[in-house]
Amino acid sequence: MRPPSYKAVVDEYAAAIRSGALPAGTRLPTHRALARERRIALATATRVYAELGAAGLVVGEQGRGTFVRVRSGYDGIEPSRALPVPRVADLSFNQPLAPGQGDLLRQALRALATSGDAEALLRQHPPGGHRHDRAVVATYLLDRGVDTAPENVLLTSGAQQALDCVLRTLTRPGDVFAVDALSYPGIKLLAAAHGLDPAPVPVTPAGPDLDALDRLCRARPVRAVYTIPTVHNPLGWVLDRTQRERLVAIAAEHDCTLIEDGTYAFLEAAPPPPLHALAPDRTCYVAGLSKNVAPGLRFGFAVLPDRHLRAATTQLRAAAWGAPGLTTALATGWLADGTVARLEQQRRADAAARQALARTALAGLDVTAHPSSYIQWLTLEPHQRPDQVAALLATEGILISTADAFATTPHHHPNAVRLALATPPLDRLPEALHRLRSTIESIAP
């Protein structure tokens, strides 16, 4: 029987990984074992794994071997987004990881295993977390300008669960809540799940149209206002102090609660005071560690006024109780020892470097972005449709997000796409962006 060719081996492994026959985390044979098993040269075996790695299907860990990579949900959970060719770059999700974070995790897990009562990590924590863990988060939030007592912090499994808990607490089906006309897609999912009536607020290059928000609140019974004042997703703005004070004044006049999303706020080195600092009795502050530490570390938190705490704790208990003990120990340990602060500093530098690369690669195109964020909003020419651009890029192995994912208006979505810059390796980002530009410019009027 003729030995399988090099390409056949690559295709066989790729098919097994994409189908799930080789699940994420599976350890693959060593290069020598693969060469022996498939009767190919050692150099050829090395090339097989190199191609699989370039396609984003496997990852090599020095001294440990080669493993099937944990991939984006677009590979299976949403088959319509599966790519017809090997993946070149995922510009649809921000899933940042810094070099060496695997070693950092191993060190932290070893420390947890050898310190104190390890069995305590397996016991059920109270809804919202133990007080000492909430105190660690409260101390961390001081550097963000959020001054709160530990009792007002609830720990959750990620910022999305924190948002879910806050919305369950503040609203009932049919309630109206204000949201930017372009905003974080997760808030749309929650609104639909809870039967809420999202009222879009027009956006400007500098922030939401606050006059329009005021008119909306006069015309309709707005229960809450969801806002991202610092490093907005997807438009990157940072509201100045005057805008923040006006937003707080509108909420006070119309008796609305502000839901402040601080997920990307760490990327702005010197932001104005958060809304929570201006109106702590009227603001619920939500954030997590997915963007500043690791996307797989599902640890978030919500800061709530006293009057909402009991109801929020009940909602959290009913939904999923909160963050698991092991995750909490890992997260609070990194918060307390300065690891999170160091990673945030690295992220800011990394995001600024990626923005600089993107500005060069896309110079002359209509791009809106914060100078040190992981997001770019690219407005297309009238003859370039977002869905057409996304489909063409998929044939190039590049994933992007179209404007409809972020639009809270039912019709007339912007002719734009969002680029998430955090996931591709930094040295491969320029090539991906040049290919993206070339594909967009190939679309004739």
Side-chain angles (χ1 to χ4, degrees):
M1 180 177 176
R2 185 179 178 182
S5 69
Y6 142 80
K7 188 62 176 173
V9 178
V10 172
D11 291 345
E12 181 181 332
Y13 268 98
I17 292 170
R18 291 187 172 117
S19 70
L22 284 175
T26 299
R27 185 172 185 169
L28 300 179
T30 65
H31 293 219
R32 291 188 183 279
L34 178 65
R36 231 180 3 256
E37 176 184 314
R38 298 306 181 101
R39 291 186 289 165
I40 55 179
L42 179 60
T44 303
T46 300
R47 188 175 178 187
V48 167
Y49 283 158
E51 289 237 351
L52 292 170
L57 298 176
V58 304
V59 61
E61 296 186 18
Q62 188 170 4
R64 299 187 69 235
T66 303
F67 297 82
V68 176
R69 192 170 190 171
V70 177
R71 298 167 289 129
S72 162
Y74 286 141
D75 286 318
I77 297 174
E78 301 183 38
S80 63
R81 293 294 301 273
L83 294 176
V85 295
R87 180 168 301 183
V88 172
D90 186 348
L91 302 177
S92 64
F93 281 149
N94 276 321
Q95 301 192 62
L97 282 176
Q101 276 195 254
D103 289 336
L104 190 65
L105 175 61
R106 278 186 277 273
Q107 293 167 13
L109 292 175
R110 281 195 293 268
L112 287 176
T114 57
S115 64
D117 180 8
E119 287 186 1
L121 301 177
L122 301 177
R123 298 193 180 103
Q124 179 67 62
H125 286 204
H130 287 297
R131 189 185 188 282
H132 61 85
D133 293 322
R134 293 154 83 167
V136 170
V137 173
T139 300
Y140 160 75
L141 286 172
L142 285 172
D143 286 337
R144 290 205 185 181
V146 176
D147 189 353
T148 185
E151 290 77 12
N152 292 85
V153 178
L154 295 180
L155 307 184
T156 63
S157 293
Q160 184 74 1
Q161 189 189 46
L163 276 175
D164 178 64
C165 175
V166 169
L167 280 177
R168 287 177 183 272
T169 301
L170 299 180
T171 65
R172 296 295 176 266
D175 279 353
V176 179
F177 84 104
V179 60
D180 297 330
L182 290 169
S183 192
Y184 164 58
I187 198 68
K188 295 168 57 178
L189 294 175
L190 290 173
H194 299 325
L196 303 179
D197 183 5
V201 178
V203 295
T204 75
D209 184 336
L210 296 180
D211 289 334
L213 174 62
D214 186 44
R215 290 193 298 271
L216 170 65
C217 292
R218 293 181 188 282
R220 304 186 67 189
V222 175
R223 186 77 178 87
V225 180
Y226 172 77
T227 182
I228 312 173
T230 307
V231 190
H232 183 270
N233 179 15
L235 297 177
W237 67 50
V238 176
L239 302 187
D240 62 29
R241 176 149 191 154
T242 299
Q243 291 171 299
R244 293 168 192 244
E245 290 174 346
R246 174 85 192 284
L247 181 52
V248 165
I250 291 171
E253 180 179 356
H254 301 289
D255 195 23
C256 303
T257 301
L258 296 167
I259 304 173
E260 180 176 12
D261 189 334
T263 298
Y264 282 106
F266 73 96
L267 289 170
E268 172 59 49
L275 301 178
H276 185 277
L278 302 177
D281 293 334
R282 191 172 291 281
T283 305
C284 298
Y285 186 91
V286 169
L289 300 187
S290 291
K291 304 304 181 185
N292 48 353
V293 179
L297 184 65
R298 301 307 303 163
F299 183 82
F301 37 86
V303 180
L304 298 103
D306 289 339
R307 67 181 183 278
H308 294 310
L309 274 174
R310 181 182 294 274
T313 303
T314 300
Q315 292 293 346
L316 194 58
R317 180 187 289 116
W321 210 268
L326 181 58
T327 302
T328 298
L330 180 63
T332 55
W334 279 346
L335 285 166
D337 70 10
T339 296
V340 172
R342 290 192 296 274
L343 287 172
E344 288 180 343
Q345 187 174 13
Q346 292 174 21
R347 291 280 191 272
R348 283 192 289 272
D350 180 60
R354 289 169 185 268
Q355 279 291 343
L357 288 173
R359 283 196 300 272
T360 298
L362 305 180
L365 300 184
D366 188 355
V367 170
T368 301
H370 183 279
S372 61
S373 86
Y374 283 119
I375 294 169
Q376 286 208 332
W377 185 255
L378 173 59
T379 300
L380 303 171
E381 297 293 335
H383 66 277
Q384 300 164 340
R385 297 194 326 273
D387 57 342
Q388 177 190 24
V389 169
L392 285 173
L393 287 170
T395 66
E396 296 285 327
I398 298 173
L399 278 170
I400 62 168
S401 298
T402 56
D404 61 311
F406 303 88
T408 59
T409 51
H411 306 293
H412 308 298
H413 299 164
N415 195 50
V417 298
R418 192 200 74 160
L419 309 180
L421 306 178
T423 305
L426 186 62
D427 60 348
R428 296 183 189 172
L429 182 60
E431 178 188 356
L433 291 171
H434 284 301
R435 291 177 68 170
L436 177 144
R437 178 177 189 144
S438 176
T439 299
I440 291 175
E441 291 180 339
S442 71
I443 300 174

